Amino acid sequence: MQIGAQDRIQSIERGFAVLLVFDAERRNPSLIEIAKATQLSRPAVRRILLTLQHLGYVRPTGGSHWELTPRVLTIGQHFTTSSAVVAVSEPHMSRLVEETQESASLSAMDGSDVVYLARVPAKHVLNINATAGTRVSAHATSMGRVLLAAQPPEFVEQYLAEHGLRPLTRHTVTNPDQFRNTLARVRERGWSLVSEEREIGLIAASAPIRNHTGQVIAALSSSTSTGRMSPERVERDLVPVLVRIADEISEELGA
Amino acid sequence: MQIGAQDRIQSIERGFAVLLVFDAERRNPSLIEIAKATQLSRPAVRRILLTLQHLGYVRPTGGSHWELTPRVLTIGQHFTTSSAVVAVSEPHMSRLVEETQESASLSAMDGSDVVYLARVPAKHVLNINATAGTRVSAHATSMGRVLLAAQPPEFVEQYLAEHGLRPLTRHTVTNPDQFRNTLARVRERGWSLVSEEREIGLIAASAPIRNHTGQVIAALSSSTSTGRMSPERVERDLVPVLVRIADEISEELGA
């Protein structure tokens, strides 16, 4: 749904625009840098920063530079505690890690990306560097394929038209027809296995989690390294446990 | 610093007030419930919700009810990727878990609370239920004591006056003089050990992390259960590893 400009409050949009300027590339932006990044005037940015400072989300670090405070984590925490799927899944994810000794992740679609909702790392040194909130492209991950496979065909076609199938490694499926067939196979089998299409050495399997209406609302995944497990072994040893636990989560959600 | 009302933008404050209504108790509030919780008019709440929906942070769930979307996790993720202390600490935390087989946490003060910045759980079934963004009272945790011990005396006195020392278990230190002595000891030894003051069965040790100016900006902690380790064993086996790794993080931050 498009929401008309007259129904929106511009200063809220600007407030978030300023908050999101802070990232790995701009940890301590100056007021001038923020004004440039948001295309807002300096006085406007100054008032927004003072408002966000009053709310406790940013603080000055000297020399007209600013940084985020840990309080911004609270906002995501409200999602985590208010989301039924995260609350229900977490103990099951720990069980998945216990049974498989491999890392477990939970994710959902946000627009055309996949967002990690929760993650329980295994004890290995080699672990994906991802925390709740991390975004990844959908097409080259097993989580993304499980989530895309559950979308209507128009959604997938729009994804292909807008994003294409950018190769992340030499193994990434980049042919649209092959990709459509892969999604059909995911739908058919009820799980997805992706080996080294996102990153060399990384292999993961995912299964869908459904809510009480049967709709796929998240993907549960188990990931490991090709050094520890071949695709054949992932399919034989990990997938059955993964699918069983995903089904148990769905059941608890009323599916 | 107090920021005058004339320097703040009220609609941004209201936007966040609406966003924070969603929590474990109110996962799917209705527009009317949100208006009640924020003391805003229904038309005002409606425009704020439409703005937040346009930004992708909330969505309607039917019957005039609303929910948060995973996109709110992105805001916290910006803190995680923009925070030098989190970026530098994470690999060291994994090392701490590897060396000790116990869970590692990183936290910072936010107002009078302690906020988890990151957490690497151990493989045990018994684990604290905490993710980045989880807030806890400072006084009954080893992380809080390390962080309070680094604050000026006025800060601690204000904490005592405003929050007191609410007992969480029968072991919680509730006598202000004893508490001040405990903080002095933490400052002296350079670490804190708290056994069963936050929760029966839970035992944790913490050490400070300093930035390039020598200021304590975070606490690193290692936590376990009293079933697995006695306080004596935590002091003998965990604390030296913890203090060494905390110092290595500080060094990497330029301390």
Side-chain angles (χ1 to χ4, degrees), chain A residues 8-9 11-13 20 22 27 47 50-51 54 71-72 74 77-79 82 110 131-132 134-135, chain B residues 3 8-9 11-13 20 22 27 47 51 54 71-72 74 77-79 82 110 131-132 134-135:
Chain A
R8 298 178 341 230
I9 300 166
S11 48
I12 293 183
E13 300 183 332
L20 295 178
F22 297 78
R27 292 181 172 189
R47 280 193 73 200
L50 289 175
T51 306
H54 179 75
R71 185 166 297 179
V72 299
T74 308
Q77 182 65 11
H78 276 249
F79 171 78
S82 75
D110 178 27
T131 53
T134 299
R135 306 172 78 86
Chain B
I3 298 157
R8 291 168 1 218
I9 301 166
S11 47
I12 293 182
E13 301 183 332
L20 295 177
F22 297 78
R27 292 179 171 189
R47 278 193 74 201
T51 306
H54 180 74
R71 185 166 296 177
V72 300
T74 308
Q77 181 66 12
H78 276 248
F79 171 79
S82 75
D110 177 29
T131 54
T134 298
R135 306 172 78 86

Side-chain angles (χ1 to χ4, degrees), chain B residues 164-225:
Chain B
L165 299 165
R166 196 165 61 87
L168 303 179
T169 72
R170 62 181 187 274
H171 302 293
T172 312
V173 170
T174 54
N175 176 298
D177 275 332
Q178 193 187 341
F179 189 75
R180 289 184 194 99
N181 288 340
T182 305
L183 291 189
R185 196 159 154 67
V186 170
R187 262 188 298 271
E188 204 179 282
R189 302 207 282 191
W191 50 271
S192 165
L193 193 160
V194 170
S195 178
E196 303 200 306
E197 292 191 43
R198 174 179 174 190
E199 194 172 303
I200 292 298
L202 183 65
I203 181 165
S206 295
I209 289 175
R210 296 170 193 279
N211 68 6
H212 63 284
T213 66
Q215 194 194 349
V216 173
I217 52 167
L220 179 70
S221 90
S222 180
S223 62
T224 180
S225 81

Side-chain angles (χ1 to χ4, degrees), chain B residues 6-225:
Chain B
Q6 76 289 348
D7 275 326
R8 291 168 1 218
I9 301 166
Q10 198 185 38
S11 47
I12 293 182
E13 301 183 332
R14 290 177 168 182
F16 282 102
V18 166
L19 205 56
L20 295 177
V21 165
F22 297 78
D23 60 20
E25 278 72 49
R26 279 178 299 227
R27 292 179 171 189
N28 283 287
S30 67
L31 194 152
I32 295 170
E33 289 174 287
I34 298 168
K36 215 169 159 186
T38 54
Q39 298 189 289
L40 295 171
S41 72
R42 290 179 201 183
V45 169
R46 183 182 161 275
R47 278 193 74 201
I48 292 169
L49 285 169
L50 289 174
T51 306
L52 294 173
Q53 182 186 2
H54 180 74
L55 293 168
Y57 296 127
V58 302
R59 62 188 164 210
T61 59
S64 187
H65 283 257
W66 293 75
E67 67 179 5
L68 295 179
T69 76
R71 185 166 296 177
V72 300
L73 291 169
T74 308
I75 304 167
Q77 181 66 12
H78 276 248
F79 171 79
T80 307
T81 57
S82 75
S83 163
V85 64
V86 176
V88 167
S89 298
E90 273 180 342
H92 293 279
M93 292 172 72
S94 298
R95 213 153 46 80
L96 180 59
V97 174
E98 271 249 313
E99 289 193 29
T100 61
Q101 302 293 316
E102 301 296 344
S103 302
S105 306
L106 183 76
S107 65
M109 276 317 258
D110 177 29
S112 58
D113 289 338
V114 166
V115 178
Y116 282 85
L117 307 184
R119 203 172 137 65
V120 179
K123 219 193 42 186
H124 306 297
V125 183
L126 250 181
N127 258 316
I128 316 174
N129 191 6
T131 54
T134 298
R135 306 172 78 86
V136 290
S137 302
H139 68 274
T141 68
S142 62
M143 304 184 296
R145 291 204 185 149
V146 158
L147 295 167
L148 280 175
Q151 299 284 342
E154 311 84 77
F155 187 99
V156 176
E157 292 310 316
Q158 200 185 332
Y159 183 93
L160 291 172
E162 281 176 16
H163 300 273
L165 299 165
R166 196 165 61 87
L168 303 179
T169 72
R170 62 181 187 274
H171 302 293
T172 312
V173 170
T174 54
N175 176 298
D177 275 332
Q178 193 187 341
F179 189 75
R180 289 184 194 99
N181 288 340
T182 305
L183 291 189
R185 196 159 154 67
V186 170
R187 262 188 298 271
E188 204 179 282
R189 302 207 282 191
W191 50 271
S192 165
L193 193 160
V194 170
S195 178
E196 303 200 306
E197 292 191 43
R198 174 179 174 190
E199 194 172 303
I200 292 298
L202 183 65
I203 181 165
S206 295
I209 289 175
R210 296 170 193 279
N211 68 6
H212 63 284
T213 66
Q215 194 194 349
V216 173
I217 52 167
L220 179 70
S221 90
S222 180
S223 62
T224 180
S225 81

Side-chain angles (χ1 to χ4, degrees), chain A residues 149-188:
Chain A
Q151 298 285 340
E154 311 84 76
F155 187 99
V156 176
E157 292 311 315
Q158 202 186 331
Y159 183 94
L160 290 172
E162 281 176 16
H163 301 272
L165 299 167
R166 196 164 62 86
L168 303 178
T169 73
R170 64 181 186 275
H171 302 292
T172 311
V173 170
T174 54
N175 177 298
D177 274 332
Q178 193 187 340
F179 188 75
R180 288 184 195 99
N181 287 340
T182 306
L183 292 189
R185 197 159 153 67
V186 169
R187 261 188 299 271
E188 205 179 279

